Amino acid sequence: MKVYRNAAAQRNILNTYDKLLAMWDLEKEERDISTTYGTTHVIVCGNEDKPPLVLFHGVGDDSALMWLYNAKALARHFSIYAIDTIGGPGKSCPNENYNKNFDNTQWIDEVLAGLKLDKVFVAGVSNGAYLTQYYGLHRPDRVIKMVCMAGSVPVGSSGPMKTMMKIFLPEALFPTKRNTIKLLLKLSGKNSGVFIENPVVLEHYRSLLKGFNNMAMRWHKIKPFSEEEVETIREKTLFLVGEADPFARLGGKEKLLQYKMNARFFPEVGHGINHEIAEEVNGILIDSLLS
């Protein structure tokens, strides 16, 4: 599966990926873990004597961007493993086995085995919130607690692709600098400056819009949960959601309330909640997971 549209697009994205990673401002190691579906890239930082925290980013972004404003604070309390989703932009490289038979649980099992991890805390943003819940549902003995940001509980028959199109079009089709800013403003709350006033973030995000082949994520299917499955993850899952997040407005918040999930809502905060109110989110993650 071709992840990038061409070699130049790949170079641009990985160049700004490395610039963002340098801005984490902490010691880290990059590892490539072999799995059935190809190599999975993992950024490792923090103290190995601290509890392990596995992090999943969203669709169309990567670990370097997603945890820019979180890694340094979280690394004081956890051993961090930020995973580049296979099939997504970043440094993971899918092989011929990454196809319609792809299994998220097997993939994550193999990544954790390669990292020599057993029981873990897990947190994710957007599609990473889905991966967090999905793994917590299928491996409850391995996931201690979960935090899901800018996400909702996956129930019902509403197609995520239709929601994505409502939000990302037409700007994502024509990723000029102006349209990139317009899209980021659409996704964000009042603290949009963390995106549009950071030139490296803006350059990287525009490069992703221009150069990432979105079809590379098509084997990551969203499988709705039954009410019984929702019940099994409720106790150990916390949702953090911005009320200005267009995904929340289009039904995400309503589902969290309907299914009585443990959720906290933040006014004037958008889809980039862990960027927009990073200090507050970092504190909540540390307190809620370690309490």
Side-chain angles (χ1 to χ4, degrees), residues 206-237:
R206 186 182 174 206
S207 294
L208 291 170
L209 291 174
K210 292 172 65 178
F212 172 57
N213 172 24
N214 289 287
M215 289 301 293
M217 280 294 292
R218 70 182 187 172
W219 305 127
H220 285 266
K221 304 294 186 184
I222 304 295
K223 298 179 180 179
F225 292 3
S226 68
E227 291 190 21
E228 292 77 13
E229 289 173 330
V230 171
E231 182 70 29
T232 65
I233 67 166
R234 181 180 289 113
E235 185 176 347
K236 64 168 66 174
T237 311

Side-chain angles (χ1 to χ4, degrees), residues 145-241:
K145 286 184 183 179
M146 302 177 278
V147 177
C148 298
M149 295 162 276
S152 187
V153 62
V155 290
S157 58
S158 58
M161 186 55 67
K162 290 182 179 179
T163 304
M164 293 277 288
M165 290 174 66
K166 285 180 183 178
I167 295 167
F168 281 84
L169 300 183
E171 291 85 2
L173 290 176
F174 309 100
T176 62
K177 183 177 180 180
R178 180 180 179 185
N179 276 347
T180 301
I181 292 172
K182 284 177 67 177
L183 179 56
L184 287 167
L185 289 172
K186 220 199 250 191
L187 289 165
S188 306
K190 68 175 182 178
N191 293 327
S192 59
V194 295
F195 298 111
I196 63 175
E197 293 172 12
N198 185 319
V200 181
V201 169
L202 191 58
E203 180 186 3
H204 186 65
Y205 194 73
R206 186 182 174 206
S207 294
L208 291 170
L209 291 174
K210 292 172 65 178
F212 172 57
N213 172 24
N214 289 287
M215 289 301 293
M217 280 294 292
R218 70 182 187 172
W219 305 127
H220 285 266
K221 304 294 186 184
I222 304 295
K223 298 179 180 179
F225 292 3
S226 68
E227 291 190 21
E228 292 77 13
E229 289 173 330
V230 171
E231 182 70 29
T232 65
I233 67 166
R234 181 180 289 113
E235 185 176 347
K236 64 168 66 174
T237 311
L238 171 66
F239 290 85
L240 306 178
V241 177

